[in-house]
Amino acid sequence: MGHYYDQHINPFCILQPFRVSIVVKMEMSCLWTRRLLLGANSVLLVKHPTTIAFSTFSVTRSILSPPPPLISLFSSSRRSLSTTTSACSSPLHPHSDFGNDAVNDAAAAIPLESQKMLLKGMSYTELEKWVQSYGFRPGQAMMLWKRLYGSGIWAHHVDELQGILLLPILSSLNKDFVKMLGEHAKFKALSLENILTASDGTRKILFRLDDGLVIETVVIPCDRGRTTVCVSSQVGCAMNCQFCFTGRQANNFHVGTLMGLKRHLSTAEIVEQAVFAQRLLTNEVAPFTNVVFMGMGEPLQNIDSVIKAADIMLHDQGLHFSPRKVTVSTSGLVPQLKRFLHESNCALAVSLNATTDEVRNWIMPINRKYDLGLLLQTLREELGLKNSYKVLFEYVMLEGVNDSVDDAYRLIDLVQGIPCKINLIQFNPHCGSLFRPTSTEKMIEFRNILAEAKCLVFMRYSKGDDQMAACGQLGKPGAIPTPLIRVPEQFKLAVNV
Ligand code: SF4
């Protein structure tokens, strides 16, 4: 039911010669109003700055000739908003904090499509604040949040919010709220490019980003109703791990940026991989139970967006993953690893893959900056401060490189004093790779040595490798590979060079 209030306004200096009365329609269902003091004699009651901005504009146009261009009325707001949104898509700087200025500026004008607020880039607190900035109740933010993440709707468009009004479990959204979302909110950060299904049921999903780049997300159905989604955190990767297809693709898009890395993903682009994949496969696989940040990229090089995305995935009214079921992997960026352990409750995996600096310097060049001693001592100290927290060490087994009996005993020594689990991972070959996978028998022997020393150790076999969806295989086939690092003399035989 609509109600009408007479309003006396005096909002902008360009209207000073005129005293204008207008009627502003107020919806009874939305009494979340603001009282704005605009002058000694003027008290204005509006439900949202957008309402008054456009009311004023239409009045102004009827009085002034020629009409002022829209951009001149809203130029400062449009500039700020465009800064906020472009920061989200800017290469290497995708993260943009959502603060008061962004809220106030976003509220001032209907933006262009590219300037709309990307909903999945906001934490719940930010979404609530943004919704309130348009004069709506926090409860509307919760209803929206559930439609994005928590109700099996996975809304991708404002029209899908309307459609779910038919569902009895969800109460109705205010129609003005839906209208505001249609004007100011963007629901999608990704477009589906392709889905490839491997013989073991693993799906590799290719998503296209707004700037045309493509990322890959892998869905791995497991036993006992468990389904893991593996998300990417960057386009490409700068780490140049020698056994990894992603890290070895040269950057032929943006000359001058880090080798192999095209850009970081924004929070929205990370979160939406899990949401979009669940939406696509909802009738084919069990609901996702685990998220691993082990797709394209070094997650901790994009730590702001990754921590925020992981937090969004934990929200109990949304995706509601357990922190123990969201695992962020790193090749060993020590300062970021410390920060992650301080700021996030999610699980941490460290890609170890060698028991000497000599081998690790070769196959994981990040070791030249943060060597094994520093990496493991940092973990020892940091995990000593946490309760019931185990780091997961990933150990990709490469024949003749890191799979000897001596390696097994060295590994036992290295992880002493660190609460941990160890995953022994079968290497997934790819074109141009120097390495060969360790045989199953040798993996079992290696595993048994660790188990006898009371290490918590598991063997992980390849999944999805016939569609290049397995660990270390993500990326664009045919892309130009980066030059290989010189092979240490004693390993030349093992890798046939
Ligand atoms: S293993 Fe991970 S960190 Fe290393 S190059 Fe591949 S994607 Fe990057």
Side-chain angles (χ1 to χ4, degrees):
M1 179 188 292
H3 283 242
Y4 294 83
Y5 297 85
D6 286 333
Q7 305 294 328
H8 297 280
I9 61 172
N10 182 18
F12 296 119
C13 59
I14 57 171
L15 292 179
Q16 284 300 335
F18 310 99
R19 299 292 292 179
V20 184
S21 292
I22 63 168
V23 176
V24 179
K25 183 180 179 183
M26 302 296 290
E27 289 292 333
M28 187 61 184
S29 57
C30 184
L31 290 176
W32 189 253
T33 54
R34 292 180 170 196
R35 184 176 295 269
L36 301 179
L37 299 176
L38 294 172
N41 302 320
S42 301
V43 175
L44 174 64
L45 190 65
V46 295
K47 66 176 181 175
H48 185 265
T50 305
T51 309
I52 189 61
F54 279 87
S55 300
T56 305
F57 179 55
S58 61
V59 170
T60 308
R61 287 188 63 178
S62 68
I63 297 170
L64 301 176
S65 181
L70 185 63
I71 190 73
S72 71
L73 277 173
F74 303 116
S75 56
S76 68
S77 300
R78 291 168 65 87
R79 246 193 327 271
S80 301
L81 183 62
S82 120
T83 302
T84 303
T85 50
S86 66
C88 288
S89 58
S90 170
L92 303 181
H93 298 285
H95 178 70
S96 172
D97 283 336
F98 182 87
N100 286 331
D101 290 347
V103 170
N104 294 335
D105 289 344
I110 294 179
L112 301 172
E113 187 62 28
S114 62
Q115 295 171 320
K116 289 182 175 180
M117 190 59 78
L118 204 42
L119 296 176
K120 294 194 185 83
M122 288 188 269
S123 67
Y124 179 70
T125 308
E126 291 168 346
L127 182 74
E128 195 178 74
K129 196 170 159 190
W130 182 76
V131 163
Q132 285 182 281
S133 78
Y134 284 89
F136 295 97
R137 288 177 291 110
Q140 298 285 333
M142 179 52 77
M143 287 188 225
L144 172 60
W145 184 265
K146 286 181 176 173
R147 284 158 168 83
L148 291 175
Y149 303 119
S151 58
I153 302 298
W154 325 114
H156 261 173
H157 192 272
V158 70
D159 292 344
E160 295 179 351
L161 298 174
Q162 294 284 38
I164 59 176
L165 298 181
L166 300 174
L167 291 182
I169 52 162
L170 293 168
S171 48
S172 302
L173 284 172
N174 178 293
K175 68 182 183 198
D176 284 348
F177 181 58
V178 173
K179 181 168 179 282
M180 182 280 286
L181 292 174
E183 291 171 349
H184 294 275
K186 189 173 171 191
F187 286 72
K188 273 180 74 184
L190 308 173
S191 309
L192 178 63
E193 184 79 4
N194 201 359
I195 304 180
L196 304 170
T197 304
S199 54
D200 61 9
T202 299
R203 269 69 159 196
K204 177 158 96 168
I205 306 174
L206 279 68
F207 289 120
R208 189 167 290 281
L209 309 172
D210 279 353
D211 56 10
L213 295 172
V214 174
I215 55 167
E216 299 179 3
T217 305
V218 179
V219 176
I220 310 153
C222 306
D223 304 336
R224 302 184 300 279
R226 203 159 54 91
T227 304
T228 298
V229 59
C230 174
V231 297
S232 295
S233 54
Q234 296 178 316
V235 189
C237 184
M239 295 297 121
N240 197 20
C241 300
Q242 295 293 286
F243 51 85
C244 172
F245 187 63
T246 311
R248 295 218 47 253
Q249 292 171 86
N251 181 352
N252 48 8
F253 280 79
H254 299 292
V255 176
T257 57
L258 292 167
M259 186 177 281
L261 173 65
K262 295 179 182 72
R263 73 167 171 89
H264 297 325
L265 296 185
S266 68
T267 298
E269 288 165 338
I270 297 170
V271 171
E272 192 164 312
Q273 290 175 63
V275 176
F276 205 157
Q278 179 74 83
R279 177 183 159 121
L280 285 167
L281 301 176
T282 199
N283 295 323
E284 299 177 32
V285 300
F288 296 171
T289 51
N290 297 59
V291 183
V292 292
F293 285 70
M294 297 181 186
M296 298 168 81
E298 160 55 65
L300 293 191
Q301 203 182 27
N302 184 17
I303 188 167
D304 290 332
S305 296
V306 163
I307 287 182
K308 189 171 177 186
D311 280 351
I312 290 171
M313 291 174 185
L314 303 185
H315 196 283
D316 60 0
Q317 298 296 315
L319 297 171
H320 200 191
F321 287 103
S322 154
R324 288 185 304 113
K325 305 282 185 184
V326 177
T327 303
V328 173
S329 178
T330 181
S331 57
L333 299 179
V334 169
Q336 290 91 333
L337 176 152
K338 282 170 87 166
R339 183 181 153 197
F340 177 82
L341 289 171
H342 288 189
E343 294 182 17
S344 176
N345 289 328
C346 293
L348 177 72
V350 173
S351 196
L352 200 61
N353 305 325
T355 60
T356 64
D357 280 325
E358 184 185 23
V359 172
R360 204 162 189 269
N361 285 346
W362 163 37
I363 64 174
M364 299 186 72
I366 189 64
N367 196 71
R368 298 170 190 195
K369 189 163 187 185
Y370 306 113
D371 65 19
L372 274 172
L374 177 65
L375 173 63
L376 297 170
Q377 186 54 28
T378 303
L379 285 168
R380 214 167 269 118
E381 289 168 6
E382 293 296 329
L383 297 193
L385 305 172
K386 285 176 102 80
N387 281 333
S388 315
Y389 191 99
K390 286 189 172 72
V391 66
L392 172 67
F393 286 118
E394 299 162 301
Y395 196 93
V396 177
M397 300 204 65
L398 308 170
E399 187 182 61
V401 173
N402 64 2
D403 61 352
S404 69
V405 169
D406 285 348
D407 280 306
Y409 285 112
R410 270 196 298 268
L411 184 53
I412 293 166
D413 287 342
L414 286 174
V415 302
Q416 282 301 313
I418 303 175
C420 67
K421 296 177 282 186
I422 301 171
N423 270 357
L424 303 179
I425 301 168
Q426 193 172 50
F427 172 62
N428 299 303
H430 50 80
C431 66
S433 161
L434 285 177
F435 303 101
R436 288 190 299 268
T438 298
S439 67
T440 304
E441 296 71 35
K442 203 157 184 194
M443 282 181 74
I444 291 171
E445 183 189 3
F446 198 97
R447 190 267 319 266
N448 289 346
I449 294 171
L450 297 180
E452 279 169 23
K454 305 277 184 271
C455 292
L456 199 52
V457 58
F458 305 91
M459 285 172 55
R460 299 283 181 234
Y461 295 107
S462 183
K463 281 208 160 226
D465 51 342
D466 56 328
Q467 288 294 350
M468 286 290 282
C471 189
Q473 288 188 324
L474 302 187
K476 187 177 164 196
I480 304 163
T482 55
L484 285 165
I485 293 175
R486 192 180 59 78
V487 179
E489 209 54 48
Q490 66 272 36
F491 296 107
K492 284 191 171 165
L493 204 58
V495 296
N496 269 338
V497 293

